[in-house]
């Protein structure tokens, strides 16, 4: 099941708060206006989590990296004018890091308006209904997208060989609905992002079961109970 008991939810909340508090204490986030407005667990559940490059805060301190927040900007001969700033910011290159809309890219792959309209769902109400989040390899996000795509590629290879029998449409719809409810519960306003980070092990367990592989990859009860799962635990699943 994707929906967990209240005790597990409380445990997740508690661990998340400990990590969140530790990061806020160790890193000068407030000093440089980098304090997030959502929890660490929501960060992790929606793949919004980021990794600072080496010596990032040293660069901020020395001024070689400058952080500016603005609701808008415009260009001038000297560079960029940020809303609320009296002087232009001298600029040679502007990089637009606007992100992407994966659902729109999937929609544009189809010529049929029936499929297009089915996929064109507003992010404020629902998610793209994909069974096992598998329809497009690379669409779902995780903490290691290459590994997740590899696992899904193995699943597809088994399916094309006739070694996986998918359930009937009603069962697949129930699975998709359960997945969406889980994303809404943990993802907050960013639930529409196809992130599997908060249940990656569960997700990989389902793929292993479909491919008739043992999802318990550890050698021993205590290792299974206490050791974290990593990519090396899935060595040997390569399709031949």
């Amino acid at each position: 099941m994707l929906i967990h008991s209240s005790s597990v939810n409380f445990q997740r909340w508690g661990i998340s708060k400990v990590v969140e508090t530790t990061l806020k204490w160790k890193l000068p986030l407030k000093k440089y206006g980098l304090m997030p407005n959502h929890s660490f667990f929501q960060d992790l559940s929606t793949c919004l989590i980021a990794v600072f490059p080496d010596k990032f805060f040293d660069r901020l301190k020395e001024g070689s990296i400058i952080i500016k927040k603005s609701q808008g900007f415009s260009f001038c001969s000297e560079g960029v004018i940020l809303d609320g700033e009296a002087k232009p910011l001298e600029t040679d290159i502007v990089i637009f890091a606007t992100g992407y809309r994966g659902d729109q890219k999937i929609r544009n792959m189809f010529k049929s308006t029936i499929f297009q309209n089915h996929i064109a769902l507003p992010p404020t109400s629902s998610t793209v209904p994909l069974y096992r989040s598998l329809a497009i390899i690379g669409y779902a996000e995780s903490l290691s997208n290459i590994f997740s795509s590899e696992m899904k590629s193995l699943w597809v290879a088994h399916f094309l060989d006739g070694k996986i029998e998918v359930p009937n449409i009603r069962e697949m719809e129930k699975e998709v609905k359960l997945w969406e409810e889980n994303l809404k519960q943990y993802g907050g306003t960013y639930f529409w992002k196809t992130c599997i980070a908060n249940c990656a092990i569960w997700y990989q367990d389902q793929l292993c079961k479909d491919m008739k592989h043992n999802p318990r990859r550890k050698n021993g009860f205590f290792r299974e109970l206490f050791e974290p799962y990593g990519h090396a635990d899935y060595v040997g699943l390569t399709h031949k």
Side-chain angles (χ1 to χ4, degrees), residues 84-103:
E85 294 282 337
K87 295 182 179 180
L89 186 65
E90 294 185 10
T91 309
D92 297 317
I93 299 175
V94 175
I95 300 174
F96 292 95
T98 58
Y100 68 96
R101 286 290 305 275
D103 53 340

Side-chain angles (χ1 to χ4, degrees), residues 100-120 128 130 134-140:
Y100 68 96
R101 286 290 305 275
D103 53 340
Q104 188 64 39
K105 292 181 181 297
I106 293 177
R107 183 176 186 268
N108 293 338
M109 291 173 61
F110 297 96
K111 291 184 178 180
S112 169
T113 55
I114 296 176
F115 285 113
Q116 288 182 349
N117 293 334
H118 189 59
I119 291 174
V128 178
L130 304 178
L134 272 167
I136 306 296
I137 300 298
Y139 179 61

Side-chain angles (χ1 to χ4, degrees), residues 185-201:
Q185 180 178 358
Y186 296 119
T189 56
Y190 294 96
F191 77 89
W192 50 271
K193 297 188 65 177
T194 54
C195 180
I196 62 174
N198 75 326
C199 53
I201 297 176

Side-chain angles (χ1 to χ4, degrees), residues 14-238:
I15 294 174
S16 171
K17 282 300 177 183
V18 170
V19 175
E20 183 179 320
T21 303
T22 302
L23 291 175
K24 289 180 179 179
W25 172 68
K26 292 187 65 176
L27 302 175
L29 301 177
K30 187 174 182 180
K31 178 180 179 180
Y32 295 106
L34 298 174
M35 193 71 73
N37 56 8
H38 48 267
S39 69
F40 173 81
F41 186 67
Q42 185 180 350
D43 223 20
L44 185 65
S45 300
T46 54
C47 291
L48 290 173
I49 195 167
V51 179
F52 291 120
D54 290 341
K55 299 182 179 179
F56 175 74
F57 289 102
D58 292 337
R59 299 287 185 265
L60 287 177
K61 186 177 181 179
E62 70 184 21
S64 58
I65 294 179
I66 301 173
I67 296 177
K68 297 281 188 178
K69 289 186 177 181
S70 177
Q71 295 297 318
F73 66 93
S74 58
F75 293 101
C76 64
S77 57
E78 291 86 358
V80 177
I81 301 176
L82 301 178
D83 288 358
E85 294 282 337
K87 295 182 179 180
L89 186 65
E90 294 185 10
T91 309
D92 297 317
I93 299 175
V94 175
I95 300 174
F96 292 95
T98 58
Y100 68 96
R101 286 290 305 275
D103 53 340
Q104 188 64 39
K105 292 181 181 297
I106 293 177
R107 183 176 186 268
N108 293 338
M109 291 173 61
F110 297 96
K111 291 184 178 180
S112 169
T113 55
I114 296 176
F115 285 113
Q116 288 182 349
N117 293 334
H118 189 59
I119 291 174
L121 299 169
T124 55
S125 63
S126 188
T127 61
V128 178
L130 304 178
Y131 175 70
R132 288 277 195 265
S133 193
L134 272 167
I136 306 296
I137 300 298
Y139 179 61
E141 298 176 78
S142 71
L143 297 181
S144 176
N145 291 335
I146 294 177
F147 172 65
S148 299
S149 297
E150 170 71 8
M151 287 291 290
K152 287 185 275 187
S153 297
L154 291 174
W155 190 98
V156 171
H158 278 74
F159 174 74
L160 295 176
D161 275 353
K163 297 179 180 180
I164 294 176
E165 184 177 352
V166 297
N168 59 49
I169 293 176
R170 188 176 297 275
E171 289 299 317
M172 286 193 287
E173 288 177 341
K174 287 173 60 178
E175 181 82 18
V176 170
K177 186 63 177 176
L178 185 63
W179 183 263
E180 181 176 314
E181 290 173 355
N182 178 74
L183 293 176
K184 287 182 176 180
Q185 180 178 358
Y186 296 119
T189 56
Y190 294 96
F191 77 89
W192 50 271
K193 297 188 65 177
T194 54
C195 180
I196 62 174
N198 75 326
C199 53
I201 297 176
W202 176 91
Y203 180 73
Q204 285 143 205
D205 284 351
Q206 308 312 306
L207 300 187
C208 284
K209 290 176 182 178
D210 289 348
M211 294 185 288
K212 306 299 188 295
H213 291 299
N214 185 1
R216 298 184 180 276
R217 313 298 300 170
K218 300 290 186 182
N219 184 21
F221 173 78
F222 289 102
R223 293 185 65 189
E224 184 71 37
L225 193 61
F226 294 108
E227 287 188 4
Y229 265 81
H231 303 171
D233 294 302
Y234 298 91
V235 172
L237 298 184
T238 304

